[in-house]
Amino acid sequence: MNHNRIVCFDLEMCCWNENGVGTTGEIIEVGLAEIDLAKGEIVKRAQYYVKPENDEVSMFCVELTGITPRKIEKQGRPLEEVLKSMVKNFGGSNKIFASWGRDDLVLAQECQDKGIEMPFKEFINLATLYRIQNRLKDKRIGHKAAQESKGIEWEGRQHSGYVDAYNLAKLALTMF
């Protein structure tokens, strides 16, 4: 296990807004940003688009994420292929993965549903760690608000897995 490296990741899923209630479906993007704790810097980034097997990208989802059905059609690959690329380029079980919230559970459920092996074992929920470090007890705080509260500028469009993972890596560097 390489404890000097943490791979921050963010998932975007098919999503819908029905009567003001948001729902999500299959994963359509995986954004990753790896940090080197010894160097105190982001050392690697990647973005993978995933072709959903059953869901379609809604107009609500396009507006929220900027991911279009055309982009998925042209650049998307099956989840299993994306996860193989992720493990090849970032390491799997030999790295610690982290997200804001429980993206690990979302990924684990979709892997289970599709008969795919989970690409990593070690996971840190940075939202929980942030709440503990900042004594927020029961109060939830969004990733962008947490980052801005630490004086770290948000860069790029929110709800892009690539952008969110990069921003999360910047915040994570202040937490370890």
Side-chain angles (χ1 to χ4, degrees):
M1 176 67 62
N2 185 343
H3 292 93
N4 260 345
R5 297 282 182 105
I6 295 175
V7 180
C8 297
F9 74 101
D10 184 75
L11 304 176
E12 297 303 325
M13 285 87 69
C14 288
C15 51
W16 304 270
N17 184 351
E18 296 169 8
N19 303 320
V21 178
T23 58
T24 58
E26 289 176 279
I27 296 165
I28 54 173
E29 182 193 9
V30 181
L32 303 121
E34 184 172 336
I35 58 176
D36 183 316
L37 296 176
K39 293 180 181 175
E41 63 187 30
I42 298 166
V43 293
K44 195 185 306 186
R45 294 175 71 186
Q47 175 180 45
Y48 302 105
Y49 290 109
V50 181
K51 263 191 184 148
E53 291 177 13
N54 304 303
D55 294 334
E56 292 184 16
V57 179
S58 68
M59 280 312 299
F60 173 78
C61 193
V62 171
E63 290 169 16
L64 183 69
T65 67
I67 301 169
T68 63
R70 181 174 167 84
K71 187 173 280 184
I72 292 297
E73 190 56 42
K74 285 189 160 300
Q75 299 177 41
R77 296 183 295 147
L79 181 62
E80 188 168 19
E81 281 183 34
V82 165
L83 296 181
K84 284 178 182 169
S85 293
M86 191 173 115
V87 168
K88 180 179 175 222
N89 295 318
F90 288 85
S93 295
N94 63 331
K95 294 272 179 70
I96 299 167
F97 281 70
S99 70
W100 191 266
R102 296 308 308 264
D103 280 10
D104 64 314
L105 296 180
V106 173
L107 182 59
Q109 184 63 59
E110 193 162 330
C111 283
Q112 183 180 345
D113 292 348
K114 294 180 176 177
I116 303 168
E117 189 177 334
M118 186 70 173
F120 56 84
K121 307 260 186 291
E122 292 286 329
F123 174 77
I124 299 169
N125 179 345
L126 293 174
T128 299
L129 181 60
Y130 182 91
R131 287 198 319 267
I132 291 166
Q133 289 177 341
N134 293 279
R135 310 272 190 271
L136 297 180
K137 292 198 170 125
D138 298 329
K139 188 178 175 208
R140 292 178 52 91
I141 184 167
H143 170 201
K144 188 174 183 182
Q147 183 165 319
E148 290 171 346
S149 79
K150 295 293 181 188
I152 305 165
E153 185 182 344
W154 185 275
E155 295 179 55
R157 178 193 178 127
Q158 198 174 10
H159 301 299
S160 155
Y162 184 70
V163 168
D164 290 356
Y166 172 70
N167 281 297
L168 185 58
K170 291 192 326 181
L171 177 60
L173 282 169
T174 70
M175 296 172 69
F176 295 106

